[in-house]
Amino acid sequence: MAERDKQYGTSAFITFLIFPFLGFIRACGRLRAPLCGLTFVLFYALFGYCISFADPRQDSFRIQGEFLSKYVPTFDAAYHQYTSGLEPDLLKIILFWLVGTFTKNPHVYFCIVGFLGAIFAYLTISRILKDYSIKKAWTYIAIVVLLLLVFKPIVIGGVRFWSAMGLASYAAIKVTIDRKYLWLIAFCIVPFMHFSMIAWLPIILIATFANIPQKLLFWSAVSCCLLGTSISGTSYQEAVGNIVTSIGIENESVKGKTSFYTSDAATKEFDKSLTTHIMKVVDYANSAWFLLVVFSLKKIFSKAKRMRKFRLINKVWRIYLFFAAFGYLMTGLSVVGSRYQLFANVFVTLLFTLLLSNGDCSIVRIVKKLIIYKLIILSVPFAQMIYISICGVSHEIFWAPLPYIIAFV
């Protein structure tokens, strides 16, 4: 197996050096192979390099303008902009300083952002696939697609959330499943990468150390799903502001963004976009799918003790319910609250991987149906990802050889 992985990874990497997109597609066929992982990370870096900055509505357009116009000569200057409240996040402005020391090419800036975020995105994906034991099944492709839609390359343009989401998701698995508590440090770091992730520190501590009854977790997740799907625009600015103040950070930019994203004004502004209305329909469909999943899996877990790796599966099930409850609660509180579903999306994919590999045919049939329903719902975000990629990235990445892309993009 190791020798086949090495050969497959070598072919994927060589293909990437000639035609990057084809190499990436091939690498996704065996992401547990180290060279496939390297190809995966390098493609995301290249994707960041190829962002075109043509659409003024995208975060990448705004950030490349800031990178070109802001003068950040030293680390002290970057840190001052953060502590003075001019910037809500420290990582973005530090990268302005580091990359700006060598070049003022925004393509290089986004290349580095793509590379850094992709490292932890790949580590998360490979950690999940480590528990996948079925050979030559379409479900492998489905699992990879589900994970690629969590770690969408188009998110690179946002810089801050992309940089933090990979680290946070990998650290969540290492802490809650593998009991590697040193990774709790990551949750002290990610708020400086994206301010909204400060809410994840207490949540990860509760998920790791609190022994919440499973029945309470189940009904809390169901209740939060129904509540989060039906409410919007409720402000939690004061709660977040108190947390920020309690750890000694007083940042006006953070307070301003939090206030806006939890306000009625933001809701009205987002409602002007057709994309918002489409995604609301997708959110309703996802909520219905979630209810189908938890009630179906609840039935499975009533006879789960005969499954292999029962204790691990039960642990992931409990953690998934907890993160889903938190995610849906936050979804109802903010127009951008769906980002708090990240952990739930990661852990349900891990749960599916474990259930598919447990060997029980009846359980595998149920999980396959749930995955098919999810893929049908995700066809809309998948189409959106393709559309944004076509509009927001230089087309050469999809057909041109690597030397041509680097020379002419």
Side-chain angles (χ1 to χ4, degrees):
M1 177 65 73
E3 185 61 30
R4 285 211 303 259
D5 283 352
K6 185 177 179 180
Q7 292 174 355
Y8 190 98
T10 300
S11 67
F13 182 71
I14 292 174
T15 305
F16 172 81
L17 295 178
I18 303 172
F19 289 101
F21 186 64
L22 293 179
F24 171 72
I25 296 297
R26 181 159 179 78
C28 288
R30 193 168 295 186
L31 281 173
R32 288 169 292 188
L35 273 175
C36 287
L38 177 61
T39 303
F40 176 94
V41 172
L42 290 177
F43 179 79
Y44 272 71
L46 186 65
F47 193 96
Y49 183 81
C50 290
I51 291 176
S52 64
F53 315 119
D55 189 347
R57 296 170 299 178
Q58 299 297 323
D59 286 338
S60 56
F61 180 88
R62 172 180 54 81
I63 292 173
Q64 68 93 21
E66 292 180 11
F67 175 68
L68 293 173
S69 61
K70 285 194 174 181
Y71 182 62
V72 189
T74 64
F75 172 82
D76 288 341
Y79 187 69
H80 174 72
Q81 290 195 30
Y82 173 72
T83 55
S84 62
L86 298 175
E87 291 287 340
D89 308 290
L90 189 57
L91 177 70
K92 182 185 75 172
I93 200 72
I94 285 180
L95 288 177
F96 281 180
W97 158 59
L98 287 173
V99 179
T101 303
F102 302 99
T103 179
K104 271 298 182 180
N105 185 345
H107 291 286
V108 176
Y109 178 85
F110 281 92
C111 175
I112 293 173
V113 169
F115 178 80
L116 294 175
I119 291 174
F120 288 101
Y122 170 70
L123 287 174
T124 305
I125 293 173
S126 63
R127 171 61 184 81
I128 291 173
L129 293 176
K130 184 181 76 171
D131 293 303
Y132 188 86
S133 60
I134 301 176
K135 296 181 179 179
K136 298 182 179 179
W138 67 265
T139 48
Y140 172 86
I141 299 173
I143 291 293
V144 170
V145 170
L146 290 176
L147 290 169
L148 290 178
L149 285 169
V150 173
F151 300 102
K152 298 186 287 287
I154 58 175
V155 181
I156 294 172
V159 176
R160 304 171 302 140
F161 191 73
W162 166 255
S163 302
M165 63 186 287
L167 174 59
S169 59
Y170 184 64
I173 294 178
K174 298 302 287 183
V175 170
T176 60
I177 303 300
D178 298 336
R179 299 295 179 178
K180 303 294 184 182
Y181 297 130
L182 188 62
W183 281 94
L184 282 171
I185 296 173
F187 290 96
C188 299
I189 296 173
V190 290
F192 296 100
M193 303 168 78
H194 195 291
F195 70 91
S196 69
M197 293 189 179
I198 195 170
W200 281 351
L201 179 56
I203 293 304
I204 202 73
L205 291 173
I206 295 172
T208 305
F209 299 111
N211 187 21
I212 304 174
Q214 187 167 300
K215 184 176 289 188
L216 177 59
L217 285 171
F218 178 84
W219 290 111
S220 295
V222 171
S223 300
C224 287
C225 174
L226 296 174
L227 181 66
T229 305
S230 60
I231 66 172
S232 63
T234 304
S235 174
Y236 63 109
Q237 176 194 7
E238 184 178 351
V240 175
N242 289 338
I243 295 173
V244 172
T245 303
S246 68
I247 62 173
I249 299 173
E250 190 73 25
N251 188 300
E252 293 301 323
S253 183
V254 168
K255 288 184 177 181
K257 284 181 176 289
T258 303
S259 178
F260 173 72
Y261 283 130
T262 56
S263 67
D264 290 335
T267 302
K268 292 177 182 178
E269 188 66 28
F270 276 73
D271 282 343
K272 295 177 182 178
S273 170
L274 176 62
T275 302
T276 300
H277 293 287
I278 293 174
M279 294 315 297
K280 279 185 178 180
V281 174
V282 173
D283 288 341
Y284 290 137
N286 271 320
S287 297
W289 177 83
F290 170 77
L291 294 175
L292 175 64
V293 166
V294 294
F295 280 102
S296 298
L297 294 186
K298 185 175 185 291
K299 186 176 181 180
I300 287 176
F301 276 84
S302 65
K303 54 181 180 180
K305 290 185 179 180
R306 60 188 173 85
M307 292 191 296
R308 298 199 312 263
K309 299 183 179 179
F310 166 71
R311 291 185 64 185
L312 176 59
I313 292 173
N314 186 58
K315 182 191 293 185
V316 176
W317 165 241
R318 292 169 60 88
I319 294 171
Y320 168 56
L321 290 174
F322 179 76
F323 284 139
F326 171 69
Y328 273 112
L329 183 63
M330 298 300 282
T331 297
L333 292 175
S334 170
V335 292
V336 293
S338 58
R339 64 178 51 147
Y340 293 98
Q341 286 287 350
L342 171 63
F343 287 170
N345 292 333
V346 168
F347 277 86
V348 75
T349 312
L350 175 58
L351 183 59
F352 284 162
T353 301
L354 293 167
L355 290 171
L356 288 170
S357 304
N358 88 91
D360 187 298
C361 294
S362 61
I363 292 174
V364 169
R365 280 197 299 270
I366 294 172
V367 173
K368 284 182 176 180
K369 288 180 181 179
L370 294 174
I371 290 176
I372 290 172
Y373 298 150
K374 183 67 170 179
L375 290 175
I376 293 172
I377 295 170
L378 289 178
S379 62
V380 175
F382 186 74
Q384 182 189 32
M385 181 179 72
I386 293 175
Y387 173 77
I388 294 176
S389 296
I390 292 174
C391 296
V393 179
S394 300
H395 295 171
E396 287 84 354
I397 192 175
F398 300 109
W399 60 265
L402 182 61
Y404 180 90
I405 295 173
I406 294 175
F408 294 103
V409 168

